[in-house]
C-alpha cells in the first residue's frame, strides 16, 4: 500500500570551506565567518542535486 509523504528539499546553494581550528565548534564558526566575508567557494546547486532534509508520513493517523 502506498503512503502519502511530505518532503522538504533544500537546494539554494552550498559552500565548501577549509579551516584550521581547535575543535568542531570553532571550525563551524570560522566557516560561517568565511562565507559571510565572501572568502568561501560557493556552489549553485542544480535541480538534480536537491537534498531531502525532512520527510513526514502524511498517512499516519494523528493523536
Amino acid at each position: 500500500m502506498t503512503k502519502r509523504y511530505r518532503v522538504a528539499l533544500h537546494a539554494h546553494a552550498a559552500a565548501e570551506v577549509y579551516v584550521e581550528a581547535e575543535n568542531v565548534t570553532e571550525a563551524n564558526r570560522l566557516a560561517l565567518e568565511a562565507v559571510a566575508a565572501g572568502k568561501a567557494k560557493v556552489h549553485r546547486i542544480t535541480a538534480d542535486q536537491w537534498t531531502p532534509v525532512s520527510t513526514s508520513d502524511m498517512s499516519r493517523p494523528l493523536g
Side-chain angles (χ1 to χ4, degrees), residues 17-37 39-40:
V17 183
Y18 292 93
V19 298
E20 292 185 15
E22 295 293 322
N23 55 51
V24 172
T25 303
E26 182 184 4
N28 290 342
R29 181 183 58 75
L30 291 172
L32 290 171
E33 289 176 1
V35 170
K39 297 178 181 177

Side-chain angles (χ1 to χ4, degrees), residues 1-2 8 11 20 28-29 34 39-40 44 49 53-54 61:
M1 175 202 282
T2 60
E20 292 185 15
N28 290 342
R29 181 183 58 75
K39 297 178 181 177
R44 295 291 171 204
Q49 295 174 311
V53 294
S54 173

